[in-house]
């Protein structure tokens, strides 16, 4: 039997992992400029945290959650997204007393989807949640933060799609109009859309089914059902984005796959990843905290898919750094080599020790381990209190092929090579 990871789940290593880490580091640095603090929530929550909040008719709750009973017969779920967990944590930790809360998080999420490129069952998100601010400028700031991060990462192929889902009353009356409209075509709708017709007809608007899309083309427009407050809210968001010179496209069919949104909804769409065109998405969720049993505190946020961003990340330049191979010639020098390697590491140099095989073999091992400088010494060098510093394969380090350096000057010599 060959040991494989679970379908739709994979080991992250090498460049893919480096890319994800680089994205998280960059995003966290930028989020600090906007006063965000980190939060980490457990990967497992009581199922109720997600079940009602994400929407009974959503794909996530309907068919994608990893839900199981624990040994105590409690229903548990591996988190499919971060927002509900963060709100749960804000309530549990009584952070509702200290508003606003601006939180950034990242980590694995789980959805039982059909795996393909850019879509996994264990995938990684980075997200932010901004709680306790009902001004539309919070929405603007949130979108600006995501745009700032994507641009800094050098990701260029994306468009911000924007829509308003209005307030509850506007949405209710629009839903009524949609049910009336779609009911005329009920038998022609896809199975998914038929099941959503009465419970969440808005989702029919973003159906991927071609026939559903044809039927949706002539639906009544939401604008006619938006309250004047909702319209004014959205106008302010648009004005804010314009003043910050953030490009966006209005997309009246953008409704998002989770039920908790109101007012602003947005997605970062790319044309570079085929069917998985959403790099990230988010919006405002003013009713969510109260729905989860907390006080009525408004919120807005987004999450991006790290797996998808990593696929689009342009080559990123890491600073050329020294990787030092320590190579003693002669068994009796091994202890000195271990001492020197540790000294180098304590001084902040990435170092590896090569003890086995003839000299040629050890140089080859050092090359393979991507070392670019070797510190070599035998008993003669040691007697003279010197070491040989030899350039390995690296192209980035400007130095002679081989130099003798006083042992006491080694650290400063190596520092001068960076
Ligand atoms: P979401 O749109 O469900 O929103 O997910 C956000 C992003 O996660 C997607 O745009 C996509 O890039 C990535 N993603 C989702 N599913 C997968 C998958 N199976 N494989 C790979 N990547 C995936 C949320 O999760 C909301 N919590 C966002 C939010 C935060 N809204 C307010 N605050």
């Amino acid at each position: 039997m060959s040991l494989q990871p679970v379908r739709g789940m994979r080991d992250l290593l090498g460049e893919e992992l480096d890319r994800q880490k680089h994205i998280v580091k960059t995003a966290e640095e930028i989020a600090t400029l906007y006063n965000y603090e980190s939060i980490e929530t457990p990967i497992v929550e009581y199922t109720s945290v997600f079940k009602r909040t994400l929407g009974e008719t959503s794909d996530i709750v309907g068919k994608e959650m990893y839900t199981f009973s624990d040994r105590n017969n409690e229903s548990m779920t591996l988190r499919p997204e971060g927002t509900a967990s963060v709100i749960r944590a804000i309530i549990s930790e009584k952070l509702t007393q200290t508003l606003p809360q601006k939180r950034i998080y990242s980590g694995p999420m789980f959805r039982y989807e059909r795996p393909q490129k850019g879509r996994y069952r264990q995938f990684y998100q980075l997200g932010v949640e901004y709680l306790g601010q009902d001004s539309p400028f919070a929405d603007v700031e949130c979108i600006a933060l995501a745009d700032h991060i994507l641009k800094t990462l050098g990701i260029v192929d994306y468009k911000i799609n924007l829509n308003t889902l209005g307030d509850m009353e506007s949405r209710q009356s629009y839903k009524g109009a949609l049910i009336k409209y779609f009911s005329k075509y009920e038998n022609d709708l896809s199975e998914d859309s038929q099941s959503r017709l009465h419970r969440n007809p808005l989702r029919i608007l973003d159906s991927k089914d071609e026939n559903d899309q044809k039927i949706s083309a002539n639906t009544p427009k939401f604008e006619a059902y938006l309250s004047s407050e909702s319209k004014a809210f959205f106008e302010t968001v648009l004005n804010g984005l314009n003043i910050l010179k953030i490009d966006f496209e209005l997309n009246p069919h953008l409704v998002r796959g989770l039920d908790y949104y109101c007012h602003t909804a947005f997605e970062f769409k790319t044309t570079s990843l085929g069917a998985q065109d959403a790099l990230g998405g988010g919006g405002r969720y003013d009713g969510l905290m109260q729905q989860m049993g907390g006080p009525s505190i408004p919120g807005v946020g987004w999450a991006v898919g790290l797996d998808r961003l990593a696929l689009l990340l342009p080559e990123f330049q890491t600073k050329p750094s020294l990787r030092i191979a320590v190579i003693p010639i002669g068994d009796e020098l091994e202890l000195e080599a271990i001492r020197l390697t540790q000294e180098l590491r304590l001084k902040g140099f990435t170092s590896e020790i090569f003890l086995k095989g003839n000299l040629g073999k050890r140089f080859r091992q050092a090359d393979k381990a991507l070392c670019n400088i070797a510190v070599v010494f035998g008993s003669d060098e040691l007697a003279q209190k010197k070491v040989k510093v030899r350039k390995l394969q690296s192209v980035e380090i400007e130095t002679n092929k081989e130099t003798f350096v006083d042992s006491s000057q080694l650290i400063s010599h190596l520092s001068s090579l960076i």
Side-chain angles (χ1 to χ4, degrees), residues 81 83 111 113 118 120 123 125 129 256 260-261 278-280 301:
E81 60 105 56
T83 311
R111 296 183 193 176
E113 295 194 78
Y120 311 98
F123 61 101
Q125 275 190 350
E129 311 298 346
R256 308 275 299 130
Y260 48 59
Y261 294 110
L279 293 180

Side-chain angles (χ1 to χ4, degrees), residues 60 80-84 105 111 113 118-125 127-129 256-258 260-261 267-268 278-283 285 300-308:
I60 297 186
E81 60 105 56
T83 311
Y105 56 89
R111 296 183 193 176
E113 295 194 78
R119 189 164 76 193
Y120 311 98
R121 290 182 174 176
Q122 174 169 337
F123 61 101
Y124 297 81
Q125 275 190 350
V128 303
E129 311 298 346
R256 308 275 299 130
L258 301 151
Y260 48 59
Y261 294 110
E267 256 172 29
F268 302 88
L279 293 180
Y285 47 83
V300 54
W302 50 255
V304 287
L306 293 174
D307 318 74
R308 294 182 190 176

Side-chain angles (χ1 to χ4, degrees), residues 234-388:
F234 197 47
E235 281 295 312
T236 311
V237 174
L238 302 187
N239 290 339
L241 292 174
N242 283 329
I243 205 104
L244 300 186
K245 297 198 165 48
I246 292 174
D247 286 335
F248 60 87
E249 287 176 3
L250 293 178
N251 176 356
H253 284 201
L254 178 81
V255 296
R256 308 275 299 130
L258 301 151
D259 277 6
Y260 48 59
Y261 294 110
C262 61
H263 291 296
T264 323
F266 49 89
E267 256 172 29
F268 302 88
K269 297 234 191 216
T270 181
T271 53
S272 306
L273 291 180
Q276 310 317 315
D277 64 351
L279 293 180
R284 181 163 276 280
Y285 47 83
D286 289 348
L288 181 57
M289 172 89 76
Q290 197 168 33
Q291 197 188 333
M292 291 185 76
S296 167
I297 288 171
V300 54
W302 50 255
V304 287
L306 293 174
D307 318 74
R308 294 182 190 176
L309 288 186
L311 287 169
L312 291 193
L313 197 68
E315 287 305 312
F316 66 97
Q317 294 280 315
T318 42
K319 267 205 237 141
S321 60
L322 286 188
R323 294 174 68 88
I324 299 164
V326 176
I327 303 183
I329 307 167
D331 292 351
E332 71 286 4
L333 299 181
E334 285 186 349
L335 265 184
E336 171 53 18
I338 287 164
R339 191 204 59 74
L340 176 62
T341 309
Q342 183 67 4
E343 184 186 343
L344 291 172
R345 290 172 177 159
L346 290 173
K347 290 281 192 287
F349 294 101
T350 304
S351 317
E352 193 51 85
I353 186 166
F354 295 89
L355 298 173
K356 296 270 185 261
N358 63 31
L359 208 54
K361 184 172 174 195
R362 284 196 262 169
F363 279 128
R364 281 196 299 281
Q365 285 172 345
D367 275 339
K368 223 167 148 191
L370 303 180
C371 294
N372 37 30
I373 289 288
V375 175
V376 187
F377 56 90
S379 38
D380 287 353
E381 283 84 12
L382 208 63
Q384 297 169 41
K385 296 201 164 40
K386 282 188 186 301
V387 291
K388 213 190 284 177

